[in-house]
Amino acid sequence: MGLAYQPADVSIVVSKDIPVAVLEHRGDPRLIGDSIGKLIAWRKQARLPPAKNATYNILYDDPELTRPANFRFDLCVSTSRDLSGNTHGIVAKVIPGGRCAKLRHIGSDHTLADAVRYLYLEWLPQSGEKLRDFPAYLRRVKFFPEVQEHEAVTDVFLPLA
């Protein structure tokens, strides 16, 4: 059973460019945990704690519609630090600023897809808005182990033209 979202749950925000350090997960979504472990290890070594450097994910593909071998998902840490010379495969990218629909999801990642689907399939067609050429992304506001999984807070952003 999905979560019930309403149009009033969505706000339009304008963000600035967000420079990020990225570990690109490519392949089976069931192996994201391995990529998360690599990012955490690098993040600790680089001294970029979640309390000071926000955590983002870029959602290129729907794992239910994409062949596992073709699945793409970016794990990101906000920083403008020079990343050249790192040996962990971390690359620099920018989440482009601009108008976005924002929906706050409270709960585990098991129900997070409900929020993303609501934005794309219900809110967007009714809003009259058009998508920008950048995928949806997440900002992990509070997450395990800081809070229990069912208390996690994730902001879902849908870039708009």
Side-chain angles (χ1 to χ4, degrees):
M1 179 176 162
L3 300 174
Y5 291 104
Q6 302 296 320
D9 297 330
V10 180
S11 59
I12 304 293
V13 298
V14 178
S15 64
K16 295 182 178 183
D17 286 356
I18 305 165
V20 288
V22 178
L23 179 68
E24 299 173 318
H25 176 86
R26 301 296 183 259
D28 195 332
R30 294 174 295 185
L31 301 178
I32 286 177
D34 296 343
S35 294
I36 291 170
K38 291 176 187 175
L39 181 71
I40 290 170
W42 171 81
R43 184 178 203 158
K44 286 179 180 177
Q45 180 184 14
R47 294 189 176 99
L48 296 171
K52 293 183 179 179
N53 300 84
T55 302
Y56 293 90
N57 301 129
I58 301 173
L59 311 176
Y60 295 100
D61 300 305
D62 181 338
E64 294 182 20
L65 302 175
T66 305
R67 292 185 50 222
N70 296 334
F71 182 74
R72 301 166 300 152
F73 183 88
D74 283 353
L75 302 146
C76 312
V77 175
S78 65
T79 184
S80 54
R81 180 182 293 180
D82 177 17
L83 300 172
S84 60
N86 83 78
T87 58
H88 293 83
I90 306 295
V91 298
K93 292 187 182 183
V94 174
I95 297 173
R99 292 177 71 246
C100 291
K102 175 184 167 187
L103 176 61
R104 177 155 283 187
H105 169 74
I106 299 175
S108 78
D109 277 6
H110 298 294
T111 55
L112 183 56
D114 293 335
V116 176
R117 278 191 209 97
Y118 173 77
L119 280 173
Y120 275 110
L121 302 178
E122 294 183 45
W123 181 85
L124 184 64
Q126 296 171 9
S127 71
E129 296 283 352
K130 302 286 183 218
L131 292 176
R132 192 167 10 122
D133 188 20
F134 192 79
Y137 63 94
L138 312 175
R139 177 166 185 229
R140 304 295 186 147
V141 180
K142 292 182 182 179
F143 51 96
F144 185 82
E146 177 187 346
V147 297
Q148 293 299 311
E149 188 177 7
H150 69 279
E151 297 173 328
V153 177
T154 305
D155 288 335
V156 183
F157 292 89
L158 190 62
L160 303 172

